[in-house]
Amino acid sequence: MKMHRYEKIWLLFGTGTLLVFLIIVGISAFYMGNQPPSCAVTLDPQKVDETPPFDQPGLKQIGEDEYQLTIVASAFNYDVGTEDKVVKIPKGSTVHFNVTTKDVVHGFQLVGTNVNMMLEPGYISTYTNTFKKPGKYTLLCNEYCGVGHHLMAATIEVTE
Amino acid sequence: MAQAEVNRRRTPEKKKSSEGKSLKGTLASVMIMGVLIIVSWLGVWALYLSR
């Protein structure tokens, strides 16, 4: 088949770009171990309150500068383990978020960070993030979940 | 009159004309599109890394 020289150039360019993108996705998934936040880890959504660690939501130190933050979402609240819904974390610490929902699908977005997950009943969503910059980060629901959706929020405060 | 028009269109002289066309504009637009996609991809990636 006779092909124009320019046509060969742009076909090579397009195929090359596709290959580069696919290789990056492959390295990210199989070498660096990146996976979706909810990776088929399940629990009984009706027994969330009795299932550890969700029976005691809140911040737990598990190492030097390393924390596990367990949160239970429900309409229309995030149970972060504190009365005022503020979690204080020292700057530079790594936090493993461990979250589930008791009722419907909720969102879990920590504004200004890469923490952004979907919470589905029956599934545990996890994400690990290191907080380098101090400040107040708002945690909010970005999946419409009902009439109180806009009231669903909490705060993560990264202190010096 | 109409029949003459049809006959004229059927003549096989059109077959050759597409081969000699300049594809410079197509190449340029494909490359501009490609560069735009790569730049926006790199932008999102930089945002992801910086957070």
Side-chain angles (χ1 to χ4, degrees), chain A residues 4 6 9-10 13 17 21 24 112-114 127 132-133, chain B residues 21 23-24 26-27 30-31 34 38 41 48-51:
Chain A
H4 196 283
Y6 288 168
I9 292 175
W10 72 61
F13 178 71
T17 315
F21 284 169
I24 291 172
T113 71
N114 288 332
Y127 197 91
K132 297 166 207 151
K133 290 177 207 148
Chain B
K21 273 182 184 165
L23 294 181
K24 264 188 188 165
T26 320
L27 180 72
V30 167
M31 288 303 162
I38 290 171
W41 190 92
Y48 171 77
L49 289 180
S50 71
R51 281 175 154 189

Side-chain angles (χ1 to χ4, degrees), chain A residues 69-91:
Chain A
L69 183 52
T70 306
I71 297 175
V72 177
S74 57
F76 306 96
N77 178 49
Y78 288 112
D79 189 349
V80 295
T82 55
E83 276 298 309
D84 54 356
K85 289 208 261 180
V86 178
V87 179
K88 286 189 175 130
I89 296 163
K91 189 184 107 179

Side-chain angles (χ1 to χ4, degrees), chain B residues 3-35:
Chain B
Q3 190 59 43
E5 180 79 4
V6 171
N7 286 343
R8 199 157 61 83
R9 280 191 184 174
R10 272 189 189 155
T11 46
E13 64 182 79
K14 248 199 156 180
K15 210 178 172 188
K16 240 188 161 183
S17 63
S18 66
E19 278 178 14
K21 273 182 184 165
S22 166
L23 294 181
K24 264 188 188 165
T26 320
L27 180 72
S29 38
V30 167
M31 288 303 162
I32 290 169
M33 210 52 226
V35 168

Side-chain angles (χ1 to χ4, degrees), chain A residues 19 30 35 41 54 59-60 67 77-78 117 124 144 146:
Chain A
L19 273 176
F30 299 111
Q35 57 184 31
V41 184
F54 299 104
L59 193 69
K60 198 176 145 198
Y67 296 86
N77 178 49
Y78 288 112
M117 319 189 271
I124 298 170
Y144 184 71

